[in-house]
mmCIF file of all heavy atoms in Angstrom:
data_model
loop_
_atom_site.group_PDB
_atom_site.id
_atom_site.type_symbol
_atom_site.label_atom_id
_atom_site.label_comp_id
_atom_site.label_asym_id
_atom_site.label_seq_id
_atom_site.Cartn_x
_atom_site.Cartn_y
_atom_site.Cartn_z
ATOM 1 N N ASP D 6 36.510 -20.611 34.495
ATOM 2 C CA ASP D 6 35.732 -21.567 35.282
ATOM 3 C C ASP D 6 35.425 -22.774 34.478
ATOM 4 O O ASP D 6 35.172 -22.702 33.276
ATOM 5 C CB ASP D 6 34.417 -20.816 35.794
ATOM 6 C CG ASP D 6 33.743 -21.738 36.775
ATOM 7 O OD1 ASP D 6 32.931 -22.597 36.377
ATOM 8 O OD2 ASP D 6 33.894 -21.426 37.966
ATOM 9 N N GLU D 7 35.453 -23.987 35.119
ATOM 10 C CA GLU D 7 35.166 -25.254 34.418
ATOM 11 C C GLU D 7 33.803 -25.240 33.758
ATOM 12 O O GLU D 7 33.508 -26.030 32.799
ATOM 13 C CB GLU D 7 35.464 -26.443 35.321
ATOM 14 C CG GLU D 7 36.828 -26.558 35.724
ATOM 15 C CD GLU D 7 37.204 -28.110 36.090
ATOM 16 O OE1 GLU D 7 36.264 -28.850 36.226
ATOM 17 O OE2 GLU D 7 38.307 -28.324 36.355
ATOM 18 N N SER D 8 32.879 -24.421 34.226
ATOM 19 C CA SER D 8 31.557 -24.427 33.633
ATOM 20 C C SER D 8 31.600 -23.894 32.216
ATOM 21 O O SER D 8 30.643 -24.047 31.409
ATOM 22 C CB SER D 8 30.594 -23.541 34.472
ATOM 23 O OG SER D 8 31.056 -22.115 34.503
ATOM 24 N N THR D 9 32.774 -23.202 31.860
ATOM 25 C CA THR D 9 32.885 -22.692 30.421
ATOM 26 C C THR D 9 33.480 -23.662 29.503
ATOM 27 O O THR D 9 33.510 -23.366 28.304
ATOM 28 C CB THR D 9 33.796 -21.425 30.505
ATOM 29 O OG1 THR D 9 35.150 -21.876 30.874
ATOM 30 C CG2 THR D 9 33.340 -20.378 31.373
ATOM 31 N N ILE D 10 33.780 -24.879 29.922
ATOM 32 C CA ILE D 10 34.201 -25.947 28.986
ATOM 33 C C ILE D 10 33.041 -26.247 28.170
ATOM 34 O O ILE D 10 31.983 -26.626 28.591
ATOM 35 C CB ILE D 10 34.636 -27.159 29.762
ATOM 36 C CG1 ILE D 10 35.936 -26.853 30.662
ATOM 37 C CG2 ILE D 10 34.982 -28.307 28.810
ATOM 38 C CD1 ILE D 10 36.431 -27.964 31.432
ATOM 39 N N PRO D 11 33.267 -26.201 26.826
ATOM 40 C CA PRO D 11 32.179 -26.465 25.913
ATOM 41 C C PRO D 11 31.763 -27.840 25.836
ATOM 42 O O PRO D 11 32.491 -28.777 26.128
ATOM 43 C CB PRO D 11 32.670 -25.973 24.533
ATOM 44 C CG PRO D 11 34.153 -26.191 24.732
ATOM 45 C CD PRO D 11 34.519 -25.897 26.079
ATOM 46 N N PRO D 12 30.485 -28.131 25.431
ATOM 47 C CA PRO D 12 29.998 -29.495 25.267
ATOM 48 C C PRO D 12 30.634 -30.123 23.990
ATOM 49 O O PRO D 12 31.266 -29.387 23.220
ATOM 50 C CB PRO D 12 28.502 -29.313 25.060
ATOM 51 C CG PRO D 12 28.311 -27.965 24.524
ATOM 52 C CD PRO D 12 29.445 -27.200 25.046
ATOM 53 N N GLY D 13 30.493 -31.374 23.788
ATOM 54 C CA GLY D 13 30.892 -32.100 22.580
ATOM 55 C C GLY D 13 32.271 -32.477 22.624
ATOM 56 O O GLY D 13 32.969 -32.490 23.619
ATOM 57 N N PRO D 14 32.870 -32.750 21.421
ATOM 58 C CA PRO D 14 34.217 -33.338 21.307
ATOM 59 C C PRO D 14 35.322 -32.410 21.877
ATOM 60 O O PRO D 14 36.297 -32.899 22.391
ATOM 61 C CB PRO D 14 34.390 -33.565 19.804
ATOM 62 C CG PRO D 14 33.049 -33.788 19.322
ATOM 63 C CD PRO D 14 32.186 -32.872 20.207
ATOM 64 N N LYS D 15 35.166 -31.091 21.641
ATOM 65 C CA LYS D 15 36.201 -30.084 22.151
ATOM 66 C C LYS D 15 36.210 -30.135 23.698
ATOM 67 O O LYS D 15 37.280 -30.245 24.256
ATOM 68 C CB LYS D 15 35.859 -28.747 21.628
ATOM 69 C CG LYS D 15 36.885 -27.735 22.038
ATOM 70 C CD LYS D 15 38.294 -27.972 21.402
ATOM 71 C CE LYS D 15 39.322 -26.930 21.755
ATOM 72 N NZ LYS D 15 39.070 -25.641 20.950
ATOM 73 N N GLY D 16 35.056 -30.182 24.269
ATOM 74 C CA GLY D 16 34.971 -30.183 25.737
ATOM 75 C C GLY D 16 35.564 -31.511 26.257
ATOM 76 O O GLY D 16 36.221 -31.504 27.354
ATOM 77 N N LEU D 17 35.338 -32.625 25.627
ATOM 78 C CA LEU D 17 35.898 -33.908 26.101
ATOM 79 C C LEU D 17 37.400 -33.910 26.022
ATOM 80 O O LEU D 17 38.047 -34.356 26.915
ATOM 81 C CB LEU D 17 35.230 -35.019 25.247
ATOM 82 C CG LEU D 17 33.795 -35.309 25.549
ATOM 83 C CD1 LEU D 17 33.304 -36.423 24.516
ATOM 84 C CD2 LEU D 17 33.576 -35.865 26.921
ATOM 85 N N ALA D 18 37.903 -33.295 24.976
ATOM 86 C CA ALA D 18 39.391 -33.167 24.739
ATOM 87 C C ALA D 18 39.952 -32.300 25.843
ATOM 88 O O ALA D 18 40.993 -32.684 26.324
ATOM 89 C CB ALA D 18 39.689 -32.521 23.335
ATOM 90 N N ILE D 19 39.374 -31.254 26.248
ATOM 91 C CA ILE D 19 39.881 -30.354 27.304
ATOM 92 C C ILE D 19 39.859 -31.132 28.574
ATOM 93 O O ILE D 19 40.881 -31.155 29.349
ATOM 94 C CB ILE D 19 38.968 -29.127 27.459
ATOM 95 C CG1 ILE D 19 39.130 -28.242 26.131
ATOM 96 C CG2 ILE D 19 39.406 -28.324 28.687
ATOM 97 C CD1 ILE D 19 38.128 -27.090 26.000
ATOM 98 N N LYS D 20 38.851 -31.853 28.901
ATOM 99 C CA LYS D 20 38.805 -32.552 30.117
ATOM 100 C C LYS D 20 39.926 -33.732 30.187
ATOM 101 O O LYS D 20 40.463 -33.982 31.249
ATOM 102 C CB LYS D 20 37.355 -33.179 30.418
ATOM 103 C CG LYS D 20 36.363 -32.114 30.610
ATOM 104 C CD LYS D 20 34.982 -32.698 30.746
ATOM 105 C CE LYS D 20 33.930 -31.663 30.959
ATOM 106 N NZ LYS D 20 32.507 -32.139 30.953
ATOM 107 N N GLU D 21 39.983 -34.423 29.024
ATOM 108 C CA GLU D 21 40.999 -35.389 28.938
ATOM 109 C C GLU D 21 42.320 -34.863 29.069
ATOM 110 O O GLU D 21 43.236 -35.576 29.694
ATOM 111 C CB GLU D 21 40.770 -36.286 27.678
ATOM 112 C CG GLU D 21 41.739 -37.408 27.536
ATOM 113 C CD GLU D 21 41.570 -38.509 28.668
ATOM 114 O OE1 GLU D 21 40.475 -38.618 29.258
ATOM 115 O OE2 GLU D 21 42.538 -39.234 28.834
ATOM 116 N N GLY D 22 42.655 -33.682 28.457
ATOM 117 C CA GLY D 22 43.918 -33.097 28.545
ATOM 118 C C GLY D 22 44.297 -32.816 29.951
ATOM 119 O O GLY D 22 45.437 -33.013 30.490
ATOM 120 N N LYS D 23 43.359 -32.265 30.773
ATOM 121 C CA LYS D 23 43.597 -32.078 32.199
ATOM 122 C C LYS D 23 43.927 -33.306 32.983
ATOM 123 O O LYS D 23 44.913 -33.323 33.783
ATOM 124 C CB LYS D 23 42.425 -31.382 32.880
ATOM 125 C CG LYS D 23 42.632 -30.940 34.284
ATOM 126 C CD LYS D 23 41.422 -30.256 34.916
ATOM 127 C CE LYS D 23 41.738 -29.807 36.370
ATOM 128 N NZ LYS D 23 40.615 -29.165 36.941
ATOM 129 N N LYS D 24 43.215 -34.303 32.654
ATOM 130 C CA LYS D 24 43.539 -35.617 33.371
ATOM 131 C C LYS D 24 44.908 -36.164 32.963
ATOM 132 O O LYS D 24 45.652 -36.623 33.842
ATOM 133 C CB LYS D 24 42.552 -36.707 32.918
ATOM 134 C CG LYS D 24 41.122 -36.455 33.492
ATOM 135 C CD LYS D 24 40.112 -37.534 32.946
ATOM 136 C CE LYS D 24 38.758 -37.246 33.483
ATOM 137 N NZ LYS D 24 37.778 -38.262 32.890
ATOM 138 N N LEU D 25 45.345 -35.991 31.755
ATOM 139 C CA LEU D 25 46.697 -36.400 31.269
ATOM 140 C C LEU D 25 47.723 -35.646 32.017
ATOM 141 O O LEU D 25 48.840 -36.166 32.348
ATOM 142 C CB LEU D 25 46.796 -36.247 29.755
ATOM 143 C CG LEU D 25 45.965 -37.135 28.850
ATOM 144 C CD1 LEU D 25 46.055 -36.712 27.467
ATOM 145 C CD2 LEU D 25 46.501 -38.612 29.007
ATOM 146 N N LEU D 26 47.523 -34.396 32.258
ATOM 147 C CA LEU D 26 48.555 -33.538 32.872
ATOM 148 C C LEU D 26 48.575 -33.737 34.380
ATOM 149 O O LEU D 26 49.651 -33.420 35.064
ATOM 150 C CB LEU D 26 48.274 -32.077 32.439
ATOM 151 C CG LEU D 26 48.471 -31.654 31.050
ATOM 152 C CD1 LEU D 26 47.894 -30.404 30.709
ATOM 153 C CD2 LEU D 26 49.977 -31.779 30.688
ATOM 154 N N THR D 27 47.459 -34.033 35.033
ATOM 155 C CA THR D 27 47.437 -34.279 36.452
ATOM 156 C C THR D 27 47.636 -35.678 36.834
ATOM 157 O O THR D 27 48.086 -35.958 38.058
ATOM 158 C CB THR D 27 46.064 -33.709 37.049
ATOM 159 O OG1 THR D 27 45.024 -34.430 36.418
ATOM 160 C CG2 THR D 27 45.902 -32.251 36.800
ATOM 161 N N GLU D 28 47.470 -36.639 36.025
ATOM 162 C CA GLU D 28 47.670 -38.110 36.268
ATOM 163 C C GLU D 28 48.645 -38.607 35.162
ATOM 164 O O GLU D 28 48.392 -39.763 34.613
ATOM 165 C CB GLU D 28 46.346 -38.774 36.259
ATOM 166 C CG GLU D 28 45.374 -38.249 37.208
ATOM 167 C CD GLU D 28 43.999 -38.832 37.070
ATOM 168 O OE1 GLU D 28 43.731 -39.713 36.255
ATOM 169 O OE2 GLU D 28 43.059 -38.322 37.735
ATOM 170 N N THR D 29 49.684 -37.911 34.927
ATOM 171 C CA THR D 29 50.532 -38.235 33.730
ATOM 172 C C THR D 29 51.195 -39.607 33.902
ATOM 173 O O THR D 29 51.302 -40.351 32.959
ATOM 174 C CB THR D 29 51.647 -37.082 33.645
ATOM 175 O OG1 THR D 29 51.093 -35.850 33.965
ATOM 176 C CG2 THR D 29 52.163 -37.080 32.272
ATOM 177 N N HIS D 30 51.812 -39.867 35.103
ATOM 178 C CA HIS D 30 52.450 -41.166 35.315
ATOM 179 C C HIS D 30 51.509 -42.344 35.183
ATOM 180 O O HIS D 30 51.882 -43.324 34.530
ATOM 181 C CB HIS D 30 53.116 -41.142 36.746
ATOM 182 C CG HIS D 30 53.671 -42.439 37.186
ATOM 183 N ND1 HIS D 30 54.912 -42.941 36.675
ATOM 184 C CD2 HIS D 30 53.203 -43.429 37.996
ATOM 185 C CE1 HIS D 30 55.134 -44.116 37.191
ATOM 186 N NE2 HIS D 30 54.133 -44.406 38.024
ATOM 187 N N GLN D 31 50.265 -42.206 35.578
ATOM 188 C CA GLN D 31 49.355 -43.292 35.476
ATOM 189 C C GLN D 31 48.785 -43.443 34.080
ATOM 190 O O GLN D 31 48.621 -44.561 33.575
ATOM 191 C CB GLN D 31 48.173 -43.002 36.457
ATOM 192 C CG GLN D 31 46.959 -43.965 36.319
ATOM 193 C CD GLN D 31 45.760 -43.480 37.172
ATOM 194 O OE1 GLN D 31 45.898 -42.641 38.070
ATOM 195 N NE2 GLN D 31 44.696 -44.024 36.791
ATOM 196 N N ARG D 32 48.492 -42.355 33.428
ATOM 197 C CA ARG D 32 47.855 -42.405 32.134
ATOM 198 C C ARG D 32 48.798 -42.552 30.917
ATOM 199 O O ARG D 32 48.338 -42.936 29.843
ATOM 200 C CB ARG D 32 46.952 -41.148 31.972
ATOM 201 C CG ARG D 32 45.710 -41.140 32.905
ATOM 202 C CD ARG D 32 44.983 -39.962 32.798
ATOM 203 N NE ARG D 32 43.746 -40.036 33.652
ATOM 204 C CZ ARG D 32 42.590 -40.524 33.226
ATOM 205 N NH1 ARG D 32 42.474 -40.992 32.100
ATOM 206 N NH2 ARG D 32 41.569 -40.581 34.110
ATOM 207 N N LEU D 33 50.020 -42.185 31.137
ATOM 208 C CA LEU D 33 50.984 -42.255 29.955
ATOM 209 C C LEU D 33 52.220 -42.980 30.397
ATOM 210 O O LEU D 33 53.333 -42.432 30.280
ATOM 211 C CB LEU D 33 51.347 -40.837 29.478
ATOM 212 C CG LEU D 33 50.227 -39.977 28.923
ATOM 213 C CD1 LEU D 33 50.594 -38.534 28.687
ATOM 214 C CD2 LEU D 33 49.761 -40.611 27.577
ATOM 215 N N PRO D 34 52.086 -44.233 30.843
ATOM 216 C CA PRO D 34 53.240 -44.943 31.264
ATOM 217 C C PRO D 34 54.330 -45.209 30.289
ATOM 218 O O PRO D 34 55.458 -45.454 30.619
ATOM 219 C CB PRO D 34 52.670 -46.321 31.723
ATOM 220 C CG PRO D 34 51.384 -46.404 30.912
ATOM 221 C CD PRO D 34 50.828 -45.004 30.798
ATOM 222 N N ASN D 35 53.966 -45.141 28.929
ATOM 223 C CA ASN D 35 55.009 -45.356 27.901
ATOM 224 C C ASN D 35 55.794 -44.146 27.603
ATOM 225 O O ASN D 35 56.852 -44.206 26.921
ATOM 226 C CB ASN D 35 54.262 -45.807 26.571
ATOM 227 C CG ASN D 35 53.711 -47.197 26.721
ATOM 228 O OD1 ASN D 35 54.171 -48.061 27.449
ATOM 229 N ND2 ASN D 35 52.528 -47.446 26.053
ATOM 230 N N ASN D 36 55.326 -42.994 28.150
ATOM 231 C CA ASN D 36 56.116 -41.791 27.909
ATOM 232 C C ASN D 36 56.617 -41.142 29.177
ATOM 233 O O ASN D 36 57.460 -40.178 29.092
ATOM 234 C CB ASN D 36 55.023 -40.751 27.310
ATOM 235 C CG ASN D 36 54.473 -41.215 25.971
ATOM 236 O OD1 ASN D 36 53.461 -41.836 25.914
ATOM 237 N ND2 ASN D 36 55.208 -40.908 24.851
ATOM 238 N N VAL D 37 56.312 -41.596 30.325
ATOM 239 C CA VAL D 37 56.809 -41.136 31.542
ATOM 240 C C VAL D 37 57.763 -42.089 32.144
ATOM 241 O O VAL D 37 57.500 -43.261 32.379
ATOM 242 C CB VAL D 37 55.719 -40.777 32.581
ATOM 243 C CG1 VAL D 37 56.205 -40.377 33.887
ATOM 244 C CG2 VAL D 37 54.702 -39.791 32.028
ATOM 245 N N GLY D 38 59.009 -41.708 32.446
ATOM 246 C CA GLY D 38 60.014 -42.572 32.918
ATOM 247 C C GLY D 38 60.373 -42.386 34.393
ATOM 248 O O GLY D 38 61.361 -42.876 34.904
ATOM 249 N N ASN D 39 59.524 -41.677 35.106
ATOM 250 C CA ASN D 39 59.761 -41.486 36.499
ATOM 251 C C ASN D 39 58.360 -41.431 37.338
ATOM 252 O O ASN D 39 57.408 -41.929 36.734
ATOM 253 C CB ASN D 39 60.548 -40.151 36.796
ATOM 254 C CG ASN D 39 59.932 -38.945 36.240
ATOM 255 O OD1 ASN D 39 58.634 -38.877 36.113
ATOM 256 N ND2 ASN D 39 60.645 -37.937 35.996
ATOM 257 N N GLY D 40 58.347 -40.968 38.472
ATOM 258 C CA GLY D 40 57.137 -41.006 39.290
ATOM 259 C C GLY D 40 56.340 -39.652 39.327
ATOM 260 O O GLY D 40 55.491 -39.527 40.120
ATOM 261 N N LEU D 41 56.714 -38.837 38.452
ATOM 262 C CA LEU D 41 56.103 -37.416 38.530
ATOM 263 C C LEU D 41 54.879 -37.327 37.582
ATOM 264 O O LEU D 41 54.716 -38.108 36.620
ATOM 265 C CB LEU D 41 57.102 -36.399 38.037
ATOM 266 C CG LEU D 41 58.462 -36.322 38.882
ATOM 267 C CD1 LEU D 41 59.336 -35.185 38.340
ATOM 268 C CD2 LEU D 41 58.113 -36.125 40.368
ATOM 269 N N ASN D 42 54.060 -36.323 37.849
ATOM 270 C CA ASN D 42 53.011 -35.818 36.944
ATOM 271 C C ASN D 42 53.362 -34.433 36.462
ATOM 272 O O ASN D 42 54.258 -33.778 37.206
ATOM 273 C CB ASN D 42 51.666 -35.789 37.766
ATOM 274 C CG ASN D 42 51.193 -37.120 38.160
ATOM 275 O OD1 ASN D 42 51.171 -38.099 37.413
ATOM 276 N ND2 ASN D 42 50.876 -37.183 39.499
ATOM 277 N N CYS D 43 52.820 -33.958 35.424
ATOM 278 C CA CYS D 43 53.166 -32.593 35.002
ATOM 279 C C CYS D 43 52.755 -31.519 36.063
ATOM 280 O O CYS D 43 53.540 -30.621 36.254
ATOM 281 C CB CYS D 43 52.346 -32.279 33.716
ATOM 282 S SG CYS D 43 52.896 -33.309 32.300
ATOM 283 N N THR D 44 51.774 -31.843 36.802
ATOM 284 C CA THR D 44 51.354 -30.892 37.891
ATOM 285 C C THR D 44 52.165 -31.067 39.173
ATOM 286 O O THR D 44 51.892 -30.425 40.084
ATOM 287 C CB THR D 44 49.834 -31.085 38.164
ATOM 288 O OG1 THR D 44 49.572 -32.542 38.385
ATOM 289 C CG2 THR D 44 48.964 -30.607 37.006
ATOM 290 N N SER D 45 53.214 -31.912 39.197
ATOM 291 C CA SER D 45 54.110 -31.839 40.204
ATOM 292 C C SER D 45 54.879 -30.545 40.364
ATOM 293 O O SER D 45 55.258 -30.033 41.478
ATOM 294 C CB SER D 45 55.165 -33.018 40.175
ATOM 295 O OG SER D 45 54.537 -34.215 40.132
ATOM 296 N N CYS D 46 54.964 -29.918 39.218
ATOM 297 C CA CYS D 46 55.659 -28.517 39.217
ATOM 298 C C CYS D 46 54.653 -27.436 38.808
ATOM 299 O O CYS D 46 54.633 -26.365 39.324
ATOM 300 C CB CYS D 46 56.857 -28.532 38.210
ATOM 301 S SG CYS D 46 58.209 -29.665 38.710
#
């Protein structure tokens, strides 16, 4: 459950990691060469 994400830097890293994987095309335009996100699959 997301309530178990710890506070502090580790928790921020976890939340940012999820954003990168769900909004990959938008957040990593230099590394994504198509229109997909990791969560497309």
Side-chain angles (χ1 to χ4, degrees):
D6 191 273
E7 290 202 356
S8 64
T9 66
I10 296 177
K15 183 65 176 288
L17 291 175
I19 292 167
K20 292 176 182 178
E21 182 60 24
K23 182 178 182 179
K24 290 178 182 177
L25 290 170
L26 292 166
T27 56
E28 303 170 7
T29 324
H30 173 74
Q31 173 188 342
R32 292 178 175 272
L33 294 170
N35 294 328
N36 298 92
V37 177
N39 57 24
L41 302 181
N42 298 311
C43 295
T44 51
S45 297
C46 296

